[in-house]
Amino acid sequence: MPKNCGIATRGNPTSADAIAFMQAPTTFTIDPGGRLSGAITVPGDKSMSHRSVIFASIAEGDSEVSGFLEGEDTLATAAAFRAMGVSIDGPRDGRLVITGVGLRGLRAPLESLDLGNSGTAMRLLPGVLAGQNFDVTLRGDASLTGRPMARIITPLTAMGARIEAGEGATPPLAIHGRRGPLSAIDYHMPVASAQVKSCLLLAGLYADGVTRIHEPAPSRDHTERMLAAFGHAVQRQGDIVSIEGAGGLRSTSVEIPGDISSAAFFLVGASIAPGSDLRIKGVGMNPTRVGVVEVLRTMGARIDVDNERNAGGEPLADLRVRAAPLHGIDIPPSLVPLAIDEFPALLVAAACARGDTVLSGARELRVKESDRIAAMAEGLSLLGIDAEPRDDGMRIRGGALGGGRVASRGDHRIAMAFSMAGLVATEPVVVEDCANVATSFPGFPDLARGAGLAISVATGR
Ligand code: S3P
C-alpha cells in the first residue's frame, strides 16, 4: 500500500472468491505452416464499447449502439449498469438500445458489481459512481484483483470521493455515496493513461466548476470524442483536457468500428507468414491508436490503408496486409502509449525480424492483465528466441521460432500473440490458459482458422 496516497484499505477477497471466477481451462494448439488470406472483420472496439454503455446509461433518453463488442469485459459493464436500473436491450448482432437515466438517475445495486477481468470498467466506473448518492462495491477476477487502482483513487479522493480498496490499493473498491457535488481539480497525471483521464472526465461531470487534467503524453481520446457526440464537449489546450460540471448528456447513436487492437494479431500474423495477403475491413483508425501500424511499417511491413471514412466522430478504414521481410528497430518511446495493447503481438513480429528490436519506456506493460514483459520474454525464450526482459521493456534478437508449450498467464492478448507465432514455428505451439480470449475477442479461433491459421481448441479439465 503506497504510503502517500491516503487510500483506505480492506482485506483482499479470499481465495474462494478467486476460485469462483475461474473458468474451464482452454488450450490453443497451432500447427505450423499456415498463411493468412481472404477478408475478415474483427469485433467492435473494446474501449469504445465500454464507453458507449457508460455514456448512454447516464444520458437522457434512448441511445442506439451498433458494432458493440459482445465480449466478457464489455458485457460486464452492461450488466453493471443494468444492476443499477438502466434498461439495456441487446446485444443482438452488436446492437444495443440503452434507455439512459440521466446523470443522477442510477439506483443502488442489490449486491456488489462483478467486473470480471476488465481493468477499463474498474477504472472508468468509479468516475461515475463517486458522484452518486449510494454506496457500491466493485470486484473482479483474480487478475483484476491484483491491478493498481491508486492512480484513480488518489485524484478521486482529492475531488472528495470516499473509496476503500484492498491491500496495495487494489480491487475490490468500495465507493461511498455522497450528497453534494464533487470538487473540480487541476490534476497532473503521473502516467499517460486513457483510463485515468476518462475516469476523471466522468467525475468532472459530477463536480462543481471545471476539472482540468494534464496528460504527460497523448493517450487514446475516445472519451473526448464520444462525450462530444453525447452533447458535452470537453476542451483541449495542448496537453490539458478540461470538462465543465454543468449540464448533462444527450442520447445519440453510436457506431463502433472494428478494434485495431484485435486487428493487430492479424497484421502481425500476415506480415510474418510467407504468402499471406489479408484484408481487414472497417478497422478503427483513431490517430491515438494507430501506433501498431506505424511500428510495423517501420519494421518493413506492407500495410495499405484504403476506404477511409468516418463514423460518429471516429475514423475507420480497410487494411490490406501482405507478408514482408521485417527488420528489427528501436521502437520510439513516443509511440508506446499509442500501441500500448499491441506489444504482445509486436514482440512476436520482433522475434521474426532480422536483427535486434528494442522496446523501452513501456513499464506500464508490467501491470496489464498480466506482467506482459515477463510473459512475453518467458514464452519467446521457450520458443528459442533470445529475449532479454528489462525493467521497462525488452531487447529481442530475431531468429527461428521452435515449438513448445507457452503459458499465457490467463492474458487474452498474450494468448492471441503466441497463436500467431505458431504460423512460423518449426513445431506446434501450444498456448495454455486461453479462456480469457473471450474477454476481448469472442470467436477468435474460428475467425483465425477461416483466415488460414491451423488452430485447434481444447476445453476442459
Ligand atoms: C484503455 C486504456 C489503456 C489500455 C486498455 C484500454 C481504455 O489502458 O491498455 O486496454 O479503454 O481507456 P491505460 O489507460 O492504463 O493505458
Side-chain angles (χ1 to χ4, degrees), residues 46-47 51 120 123 151 192-195 220 340-341 368:
K46 181 153 76 73
S47 293
R51 287 159 172 78
T120 303
R123 296 209 180 106
R151 55 186 63 194
S193 164
Q195 292 178 345
R220 66 190 67 189
I340 192 67
D341 289 340
K368 292 294 177 187

Side-chain angles (χ1 to χ4, degrees), residues 24-325:
T26 299
T27 304
F28 292 170
T29 300
I30 298 91
D31 289 322
R35 66 188 168 88
L36 301 183
S37 61
I40 60 168
T41 307
V42 295
D45 187 274
K46 181 153 76 73
S47 293
M48 288 185 230
S49 294
H50 281 297
R51 287 159 172 78
S52 69
V53 170
I54 298 171
F55 299 163
S57 292
I58 58 172
E60 307 274 351
D62 284 0
S63 293
E64 238 190 272
V65 180
S66 58
F68 181 76
L69 165 66
E70 298 185 35
E72 288 171 4
D73 278 13
T74 44
L75 291 173
T77 291
F81 280 94
R82 274 198 186 103
M84 292 188 286
V86 179
S87 155
I88 302 180
D89 186 32
R92 260 183 302 277
D93 229 0
R95 286 186 180 276
L96 291 173
V97 176
I98 302 172
T99 305
V101 295
L103 284 183
R104 298 183 197 280
L106 296 174
R107 288 200 312 260
L110 295 177
E111 45 191 39
S112 62
L113 301 175
D114 180 5
L115 303 178
N117 192 244
S118 178
T120 303
M122 187 60 80
R123 296 209 180 106
L124 265 59
L125 264 58
V128 172
L129 299 175
Q132 307 300 321
N133 61 6
F134 53 83
D135 295 352
V136 54
T137 297
L138 304 178
R139 64 190 166 91
D141 69 6
S143 150
L144 186 52
T145 299
R147 297 187 64 187
M149 295 296 146
R151 55 186 63 194
I152 57 154
I153 298 173
T154 301
L156 285 177
T157 304
M159 294 177 83
R162 232 163 24 92
I163 302 175
E164 285 161 40
E167 228 177 287
T170 54
L173 302 182
I175 301 160
H176 292 280
R178 55 181 293 109
R179 299 234 168 269
L182 295 166
S183 315
I185 51 168
D186 195 308
Y187 187 65
H188 290 255
M189 293 199 305
V191 280
S193 164
Q195 292 178 345
V196 176
K197 173 177 64 177
S198 302
C199 171
L200 299 181
L201 287 173
L202 284 163
L205 287 170
Y206 293 90
D208 53 359
V210 177
T211 298
R212 285 190 186 76
I213 304 151
H214 302 244
E215 290 198 273
S219 63
R220 66 190 67 189
D221 66 356
H222 304 302
T223 294
E224 295 90 310
R225 288 171 188 252
M226 211 182 278
L227 274 174
F230 276 91
H232 198 115
V234 302
Q235 311 302 322
R236 154 90 43 199
Q237 258 189 318
D239 64 352
I240 305 173
V241 56
S242 51
I243 189 163
E244 232 193 291
L249 306 187
R250 246 189 357 246
S251 60
T252 187
S253 56
V254 182
E255 232 178 282
I256 297 174
D259 197 330
I260 192 167
S261 297
S262 296
F265 302 105
F266 290 91
L267 293 176
V268 168
S271 294
I272 62 176
S276 294
D277 184 351
L278 183 71
R279 271 185 179 282
I280 315 174
K281 295 189 290 183
V283 179
M285 292 293 282
N286 180 309
T288 59
R289 294 288 297 282
V290 294
V292 59
V293 174
E294 216 170 318
V295 173
L296 281 172
R297 278 183 171 158
T298 313
M299 296 175 77
R302 236 177 127 187
I303 300 173
D304 300 316
V305 178
D306 60 29
N307 197 12
E308 291 179 69
R309 53 217 192 262
N310 250 278
E314 291 276 356
L316 66 154
D318 298 343
L319 304 180
R320 181 182 181 192
V321 51
R322 283 171 275 186

